[in-house]
Amino acid sequence: MPMPIAPMALPLLVAATPLPSDAYRAPLPSGPGGAVLPLIESSPVETFDPIGRAALLRDQMPRFWSGSYVPFDGSGPQAVELSLEQVSAAGQMVVLVGEIRVADRVSPVQGNFNARSDQLDLLVLGSDPGPSLQPGGSFQGVQGMTLAGWKADRLTAMGGRLVLSPIARRALPPAPGAEPIRGLW
């Protein structure tokens, strides 16, 4: 007659037997002749200083930018000018304050530029930012100031692409009635 199998408790011997401490140790780097090198010398050290780069960008970032905005809704490109009136560093962030001109409309802007990742967030603060742009939207980019996308505040807006390049200085429009001076040659 077969006997029924009953579960029985087995003592846990695994917890009682300690594992050797070398079981989880990584091999140490060795130098010439088998000498063990100190671990501190072989560790990589990050030399990038985002706070220092933010201070450098604050001093060297161009204050005037020019380019175009192309909406994704199919309308034509629009001329854009960005002038930065105030550029300051706050840790690894560069704080930008200025104004943007899209087509014929001027709006104040405020933004942050991350010195570590080159990410740009530029908020358009005006109530009428321009054609194909809606109040409450922002330009966001991950390639610095040169390329950004319009992120509207609504899902129904198509968005667009902003392409900027720095200009050396802002060209002042000629005074009314004044003719340009021509060279003799």
Side-chain angles (χ1 to χ4, degrees), residues 66-82 100-105 128-134 139 150 159-164:
S66 177
S68 64
Y69 172 69
V70 180
F72 295 144
D73 63 3
S75 58
Q78 301 160 7
V80 175
E81 290 181 3
L82 174 68
I100 190 167
R101 176 185 301 268
V102 179
D104 60 346
R105 296 196 182 107
D128 187 18
S132 301
L133 302 175
Q134 297 80 24
F139 289 106
W150 175 254
R161 181 180 65 200
L162 176 70
V163 179
L164 294 175

Side-chain angles (χ1 to χ4, degrees), residues 74-147:
S75 58
Q78 301 160 7
V80 175
E81 290 181 3
L82 174 68
S83 64
L84 301 175
E85 298 163 3
Q86 182 181 20
V87 178
S88 60
Q92 73 177 20
M93 302 300 285
V94 180
V95 180
L96 310 170
V97 177
E99 66 180 18
I100 190 167
R101 176 185 301 268
V102 179
D104 60 346
R105 296 196 182 107
V106 178
S107 300
V109 293
Q110 182 174 357
N112 294 326
F113 183 81
N114 191 327
R116 179 180 288 272
S117 64
D118 285 348
Q119 180 178 350
L120 172 70
D121 294 319
L122 193 63
L123 303 172
V124 180
L125 303 174
S127 60
D128 187 18
S132 301
L133 302 175
Q134 297 80 24
S138 65
F139 289 106
Q140 295 181 345
V142 293
Q143 294 182 358
M145 298 283 290
T146 57
L147 179 64

Side-chain angles (χ1 to χ4, degrees), residues 52-68:
R53 182 168 185 248
L56 187 67
L57 285 171
R58 173 195 64 211
D59 298 335
Q60 295 181 355
M61 180 179 282
R63 300 302 194 250
F64 302 105
W65 297 77
S66 177
S68 64

